[in-house]
Amino acid sequence: KKSIDKTKTETKKLSFNEQREFDTIEDEINSLEEEKESLNSQLLGAGDNYELLTNLGDQLKLIESNIEEKEMRWLELSERAT
């Protein structure tokens, strides 16, 4: 019975591919953050060009969504890696 309890509380280690993903995901997040900053700067300089503002705003939403997904994945992997 003790061996069953032990396996329930044991954490699953990262697979080879998950470890590779974990090793690179911070760089991906940093790159997306730089893209986000660039888009914010472009938004400030877009002035009254509403078509450009809309396009940049859509890109910014996509980048922010990607950042959020990657941060959640990083958190999930980091919890399992320890």
Side-chain angles (χ1 to χ4, degrees), residues 20 22 30 37 57 63:
R20 286 180 52 204
F22 184 65
N30 289 334
E37 287 180 29
I63 295 288

Side-chain angles (χ1 to χ4, degrees), residues 11 19 34 37-38 41 49 57-58 66 68 73 77 80-81:
T11 57
Q19 184 63 50
E34 289 174 8
E37 287 180 29
S38 173
S41 294
N49 186 340
D58 290 344
N66 287 340
E68 185 176 336
R73 181 65 175 156
L77 293 172
R80 289 181 40 211

Side-chain angles (χ1 to χ4, degrees), residues 43 45-56:
L43 274 169
D48 292 337
N49 186 340
Y50 297 111
E51 185 176 330
L52 180 59
L53 286 169
T54 302
N55 186 11
L56 292 172

Side-chain angles (χ1 to χ4, degrees), residues 57-69:
D58 290 344
Q59 289 179 43
L60 187 59
K61 286 179 191 175
L62 181 62
I63 295 288
E64 288 173 340
S65 175
N66 287 340
I67 289 170
E68 185 176 336
E69 284 178 26

